[in-house]
Amino acid sequence: HQFAQALALYEQALAMGEALLGLDHPLVLFLLNVLSRLCRKMGQMEAAEEFAQRHNASVQMSRFDNTVEAALR
């Protein structure tokens, strides 16, 4: 029951973070990581994998953007 409540709150925080801060903000990446671990702990492996993939995609895009910016300087 507590895990389900935590999941709902973290998902709400993630939605707000993405809307206000952007997909590659460190807090949003942290929340994606926490949600992935929480879902694994709850046995929700598909949801855990989805959060992990979203985290990894955001990190890769951020690295790509940084590389492009550095190349254009």
Side-chain angles (χ1 to χ4, degrees):
H1 182 68
Q2 289 179 331
F3 284 147
Q5 281 182 311
L7 180 64
L9 291 172
Y10 276 117
E11 286 178 323
Q12 190 175 20
L14 176 64
M16 288 188 295
E18 288 176 332
L20 296 171
L21 303 171
L23 300 177
D24 62 347
H25 190 276
L27 179 59
V28 171
L29 297 175
F30 170 78
L31 290 169
L32 286 167
N33 191 29
V34 168
L35 281 161
S36 178
R37 292 190 336 226
L38 181 59
C39 286
R40 277 191 181 85
K41 194 168 239 176
M42 295 173 65
Q44 298 179 6
M45 298 307 175
E46 282 186 33
E49 185 62 27
E50 182 182 324
F51 286 123
Q53 287 178 358
R54 287 175 59 190
H55 173 272
N56 292 340
S58 292
V59 168
Q60 288 175 353
M61 281 305 298
S62 178
R63 287 182 182 154
F64 176 77
D65 290 344
N66 290 339
T67 301
V68 170
E69 285 178 26
L72 294 174
R73 289 186 201 146

